[in-house]
Amino acid sequence: MNREEARRQARVIMDAAGLSDWTFRFDHAKRRAGSCTHARKTITLSGPLVDLYDEATVRGVILHEIAHAMVGPHHHHDAEWKRMARALGAPDDARLPAQLPEPEAPWVGTCPVCGATKKLFRQPKRVVACGSCTHSFDRRRILTWTKDGVPTQPGGAYARELASLRRPLP
Ligand SMILES: [Zn+2]
Ligand SMILES: [Zn+2]
């Protein structure tokens, strides 16, 4: 769904629910579709997931977060929240249906020995060896990384750890 339409829809439903003093914004989350922060009176939707979802799904997420806003903090997905969600017409389920499209993880690590892959949404912070073809840390099985399909060596702490691992053993 188009983000600007999603923003408009969120605003209309929030105002109708009496949340006109609440703020709406997008965030960059990829593993949850929305959030509700009572302390800041803010409802957010994941921009990347809104791009992938259809209108009905986005509406469900907006209603889900509005139900959190209405029942107040500390309810999570308890019975009271469920009652509110149902009254608003939000999907009951706290999690999104499994068949929704998943955004692609930009970081893919590949085992140089067996070819097993591991996908990450963020740059790896630690050096990882393959867990598929061995159960102990094996320097020959340190994953090699691509970011968005381009071979990329993660920097920072990862690079320092890798350098220390590559020093010859005493
Ligand atoms: Zn929730
Ligand atoms: Zn392997």
Side-chain angles (χ1 to χ4, degrees):
M1 182 184 188
N2 174 286
R3 287 195 201 187
E4 278 321 299
E5 277 170 35
R7 181 196 296 278
R8 259 197 305 277
Q9 189 177 86
R11 196 64 261 172
V12 167
I13 308 174
M14 284 165 72
D15 290 349
L19 301 178
S20 28
D21 56 336
W22 281 60
T23 304
F24 172 84
R25 62 178 181 79
F26 286 109
D27 63 43
H28 303 290
K30 299 203 177 66
R31 275 175 286 193
R32 53 149 184 73
S35 79
C36 170
T37 311
H38 292 90
R40 275 178 271 139
K41 289 194 166 188
T42 298
I43 285 176
T44 70
L45 287 183
S46 156
L49 291 178
V50 162
D51 293 343
L52 297 171
Y53 293 167
D54 61 21
E55 192 174 335
T57 306
V58 171
R59 187 185 167 80
V61 176
I62 295 169
L63 292 170
H64 177 114
E65 300 309 335
I66 287 178
H68 280 304
M70 307 279 283
V71 296
H74 315 304
H75 284 283
H76 303 288
H77 302 119
D78 68 2
E80 198 170 325
W81 176 86
K82 282 203 177 91
R83 266 197 300 280
M84 179 59 76
R86 227 169 281 147
L88 290 168
D92 226 10
D93 199 347
R95 281 203 221 127
L96 289 161
Q99 74 273 19
L100 288 172
E102 282 229 358
E104 282 290 302
W107 287 90
V108 179
T110 305
C111 170
V113 176
C114 77
T117 58
K118 182 184 176 76
K119 294 182 180 176
L120 294 178
F121 284 99
R122 288 164 201 272
Q123 171 181 312
K125 290 194 179 72
R126 300 290 318 266
V127 173
V128 186
C130 183
S132 296
C133 60
T134 179
H135 292 294
S136 58
F137 187 88
D138 177 353
R139 295 197 294 175
R140 287 168 305 162
R141 290 176 164 84
I142 289 173
L143 305 185
T144 57
W145 292 92
T146 59
K147 190 189 181 202
D148 298 320
V150 180
T152 307
Q153 192 192 293
Y158 182 101
R160 285 191 294 278
E161 190 183 356
L162 188 64
S164 75
L165 287 167
R166 290 229 165 116
R167 272 198 293 273
L169 291 171

